[in-house]
Amino acid sequence: MTAPAATSPEAVLAARNVAKSYGQVHALKGVNFDIHRGQVTTLFGENGAGKSTLMKILSGVIQPTSGEIELDGRPVSFANANEARDRGISIIHQELSLAPNLSVRDNIFMGREITGPTGVDFAEEERQVRTLLAELEEEIDPLTPVENLRLGQQQIVEIARALSVDSRILIMDEPTSALSASEVEVLFKVIRDLTAKGVSIVYISHHLEEALTITDHAVVLRDGVMTAYAPRAEIDLEWIVRNMVGENYDLGSPPVTERGEVALSIRGLSVPDATGQDLVQSLDLDVRAGEIVCIYGLMGAGRTELLETVAGRLRATAGQVVLEGHEISHLSIAERIARGLALVPEDRQRDGLVQTMSVGQNLSLASIRRFTRGLFTSARTERALVDDSIRRVTVKTSGGHAAIGSLSGGNQQKVVIGKMLATQPRVILLDEPSRGIDIGAKAEVFRLLAEGAQSGLAVVYSTSEVSECLSIAHRIIVMHKGRISAEFDSSVSKEKIMAASGESVAA
């Protein structure tokens, strides 16, 4: 049964009994949703609950199967996103939609270039981009190719592009998933400035505590149905989780495992940036079979560079990587995978998935040697591997034939993890494994890692969320400016972890 519409005389944009079906799959089931003028409405829900589908309908990206959209109290329909944008509605999508080979300036003004008597006014575009980036307190040269930016900076460019349209209604789908704590603070300041000017914000986030600091109203979607609505004064974390998943989830605790021999040994590892400065400096770390190690640090601490160098994606200037007693620093990525070392990258869209392949093809891609003999592949062996992986990591999909783009973000992340687990690794590295996924999917991911450790897998995962350190990790390694600044067991407090990372802790 659909929850009653949250009506308000200030509703500037509203969905009325909106439904959306994809064949037999009902993504939305008669949803009523109001966006209030000059306020932040936060939309909560698990991956696959219908949040992104609803936002795509409101922003003209897709059309509803039934129901209608009201703008300023009058029915309206948008044939595409450009029509919605012309009426003042913009969206920042969960997955980045930037052209990596173009500059920051060209990405921000793509499709709506500023023209003058002699053609495109690149100087004016650059001036406006500099102003936008200054507002977001981000020092990025507008002429820098997007592919040269780290993920968090690319997220800032996506936000700047949406702000450049000067919208009345701005939909933000996971805008902070790749941002540092300081960048989140700046974004929230921008949001408050926008709402003070009467701009309406829809905010979607799986960072529940973060979202509570910015929201005016909260709506919860569950299985395509609006299950709860309340103003900020009436909600807390327990209310959100209860209405999202029906029970108070946690991320688990360190599993009881039998620690084996050292599976991964890192000695004196140094990793440079493009200018030759070390992002990781003479780092030593040992991880044992059956052990779960969490690496915590702020953006720029060197977490990603460490994991990508161990996996073979980046080259070190010094140091060794030893896997089960064998030095592997000279091996390629494929050779390291064959030896039992796997990496789940931070950016699943760019580095973890092939968008033109099916769910099954993505799952089996890294294990192709298991069902290939010479020029021939065994379809039956591959199908068995895919079916086993879907079952093991609980991917919600119609089957291995489904398009990878048809899955929610959480299920796509489970496909990336399932792909690497299918290689039967001895050591698995995961860079921000919960980025952009809901609390339910997050709990499933951490359950998978705990089960892996219990079977003897050495697990190393990085995170920028303190709460994730205090879940399943046996050991917590804190990085600051490319070095290990502290090491703790699971009994440590959040405050000590944050202090060791260089993060300020409120008194």
Side-chain angles (χ1 to χ4, degrees):
M1 182 176 177
T2 304
T7 58
S8 165
E10 298 178 343
V12 59
L13 184 67
R16 293 287 174 255
N17 297 312
V18 165
K20 180 64 178 179
S21 299
Y22 297 94
Q24 299 300 312
V25 178
H26 300 285
L28 296 174
K29 307 167 186 175
V31 171
N32 292 288
F33 179 77
D34 286 359
I35 299 173
H36 304 270
R37 191 183 309 277
Q39 295 188 341
V40 178
T41 301
T42 301
L43 184 58
F44 294 107
E46 293 189 271
N47 288 107
K51 306 183 303 297
S52 293
T53 300
L54 177 59
M55 294 304 102
K56 287 176 181 177
I57 289 172
L58 292 175
S59 59
V61 176
I62 60 176
Q63 310 303 312
T65 303
S66 62
E68 65 180 16
I69 307 302
E70 293 181 358
L71 181 63
D72 296 322
R74 298 179 179 179
V76 66
S77 63
F78 305 121
N80 51 53
N82 288 337
E83 285 191 10
R85 189 179 65 194
D86 291 342
R87 301 293 293 271
I89 304 166
S90 294
I91 183 170
I92 301 169
H93 293 285
Q94 178 180 358
E95 304 298 351
L96 300 179
S97 56
L98 302 172
N101 59 319
L102 297 182
S103 69
V104 171
R105 178 199 65 195
D106 292 345
N107 267 278
I108 288 177
F109 283 99
M110 189 190 307
R112 50 186 192 85
E113 290 78 6
I114 298 174
T115 57
T118 59
V120 177
D121 190 341
F122 292 113
E124 177 59 19
E125 288 184 354
E126 185 176 337
R127 187 194 67 77
Q128 291 191 25
V129 170
R130 290 189 186 278
T131 300
L132 282 168
L133 294 174
E135 185 179 353
L136 292 167
E137 298 182 22
E138 193 71 34
E139 294 182 2
I140 302 174
D141 187 331
L143 301 184
T144 303
V146 162
E147 61 189 355
N148 292 347
L149 303 179
R150 62 175 173 79
L151 188 59
Q153 291 175 314
Q154 291 183 25
Q155 188 82 65
I156 292 290
V157 173
E158 191 83 70
I159 292 167
R161 181 166 66 180
L163 294 176
S164 71
V165 180
D166 197 23
S167 303
R168 300 171 55 204
I169 300 160
L170 183 56
I171 298 168
M172 298 182 168
D173 193 353
E174 290 288 347
T176 65
S177 60
L179 302 188
S180 66
S182 59
E183 288 168 336
V184 171
E185 288 182 11
V186 173
L187 177 61
F188 281 6
K189 177 180 177 294
V190 171
I191 289 175
R192 292 186 184 101
D193 289 344
L194 290 171
T195 54
K197 297 173 184 175
V199 177
S200 305
I201 305 288
V202 180
Y203 190 86
I204 300 175
S205 179
H206 294 310
H207 299 288
L208 307 185
E209 293 180 351
E210 173 189 287
L212 282 176
T213 66
I214 197 68
T215 192
D216 295 303
H217 305 270
V219 174
V220 179
L221 274 181
R222 188 175 181 184
D223 295 327
V225 176
M226 179 177 161
T227 58
Y229 163 83
R232 173 63 183 90
E234 298 177 14
I235 65 175
D236 55 19
L237 282 174
E238 184 180 350
W239 180 92
I240 298 168
V241 174
R242 184 176 67 250
N243 284 289
M244 274 178 59
V245 296
E247 57 181 297
N248 197 348
Y249 266 74
D250 63 45
L251 298 180
S253 56
V256 178
T257 62
E258 187 173 329
R259 259 27 96 69
E261 297 295 321
V262 172
L264 176 68
S265 182
I266 301 168
R267 287 286 170 267
L269 196 71
S270 294
V271 184
D273 63 12
T275 66
Q277 298 294 313
D278 280 343
L279 296 170
V280 177
Q281 304 176 45
S282 302
L283 187 140
D284 295 333
L285 177 65
D286 287 342
V287 183
R288 294 183 176 274
E291 184 180 27
I292 302 176
V293 173
C294 171
I295 300 177
Y296 176 80
L298 304 179
M299 289 288 181
R303 295 174 293 123
T304 294
E305 291 78 13
L306 169 63
L307 296 185
E308 291 196 342
T309 303
V310 172
R313 299 188 65 189
L314 298 178
R315 290 297 170 190
T317 52
Q320 289 185 319
V321 178
V322 179
L323 181 67
E324 295 186 322
H326 300 284
E327 215 278 328
I328 62 168
S329 302
H330 61 288
L331 298 183
S332 67
I333 295 174
E335 289 170 331
R336 296 185 200 206
I337 291 174
R339 290 286 185 94
L341 177 65
L343 169 69
V344 174
E346 179 183 21
D347 190 340
R348 61 176 171 265
Q349 294 296 322
R350 184 186 67 186
D351 302 322
L353 298 169
V354 179
Q355 298 298 325
T356 55
M357 287 185 172
S358 66
V359 170
Q361 290 169 324
N362 271 283
L363 280 167
S364 66
L365 186 60
S367 306
I368 193 168
R369 292 181 180 178
R370 288 176 57 186
F371 52 87
T372 301
R373 294 292 180 271
L375 299 175
F376 301 96
T377 61
S378 170
R380 183 164 62 179
T381 303
E382 181 182 13
R383 188 163 55 249
L385 182 149
V386 168
D387 291 345
D388 179 65
S389 294
I390 289 174
R391 184 168 52 253
R392 182 181 182 188
V393 299
T394 61
V395 179
K396 295 179 182 176
T397 177
S398 57
H401 62 277
I404 193 67
S406 68
L407 302 188
S408 65
N411 282 294
Q412 289 184 6
Q413 182 71 347
K414 285 191 279 186
V415 168
V416 180
I417 294 172
K419 175 179 73 172
M420 301 320 299
L421 289 176
T423 67
Q424 301 175 330
R426 303 304 303 148
V427 177
I428 187 166
L429 315 172
L430 303 99
D431 193 3
E432 293 275 12
S434 68
R435 187 179 76 83
I437 64 176
D438 64 74
I439 190 170
K442 192 180 294 189
E444 291 182 17
V445 165
F446 280 81
R447 173 186 58 78
L448 285 170
L449 302 183
E451 290 176 353
Q454 287 174 320
S455 66
L457 181 65
V459 177
V460 182
Y461 70 93
S462 76
T463 183
S464 54
E465 290 192 47
V466 180
S467 60
E468 293 184 6
C469 295
L470 302 173
S471 53
I472 62 168
H474 298 112
R475 252 192 317 151
I476 299 159
I477 304 296
V478 182
M479 288 188 67
H480 178 61
K481 294 183 178 179
R483 297 181 181 272
I484 293 178
S485 58
E487 180 175 328
F488 303 107
D489 62 24
S490 59
S491 64
V492 69
S493 67
K494 289 183 178 181
E495 289 74 19
K496 284 186 177 180
I497 295 173
M498 292 168 68
S501 73
E503 189 171 354
S504 60
V505 182

